[in-house]
Amino acid sequence: MTQDERWLKRYEEVIDFVESNRRNPSKHRIEEHDMLNWVKANRKVLNAGKMKTDRVEKFRKLLELTEQYRRKNQYE
């Protein structure tokens, strides 16, 4: 399995998780740590400008999806 195939597999896993659970991966649940760490690591790569061009558009779409389910302050 190539690096691109692994990246795509993880990308699909995170997209499916967010769409099915209607929330982002939690730092408090052990089984979701891998997904959360993958998102955080790729966000750092994107912000540094080192992400491959074919991945940038897909990852931005994922970030838009996660922004919809961002945690909200209950007191606002």
Side-chain angles (χ1 to χ4, degrees), residues 5-50:
E5 290 170 342
R6 274 184 295 194
W7 191 91
L8 236 101
K9 182 180 174 189
R10 183 65 74 169
Y11 171 80
E12 293 295 331
E13 183 182 329
V14 174
I15 287 277
D16 291 342
F17 177 85
V18 172
E19 288 176 343
S20 63
N21 294 306
R22 294 191 176 126
R23 64 179 178 83
N24 296 328
S26 171
K27 68 180 180 181
H28 301 290
R29 296 186 182 201
I30 303 293
E31 61 273 8
E32 298 171 14
H33 275 206
D34 288 341
M35 286 186 281
L36 180 65
N37 288 340
W38 182 85
V39 171
K40 289 185 341 185
N42 277 282
R43 189 179 296 136
K44 282 180 80 171
V45 171
L46 178 70
N47 290 339
K50 297 180 181 177

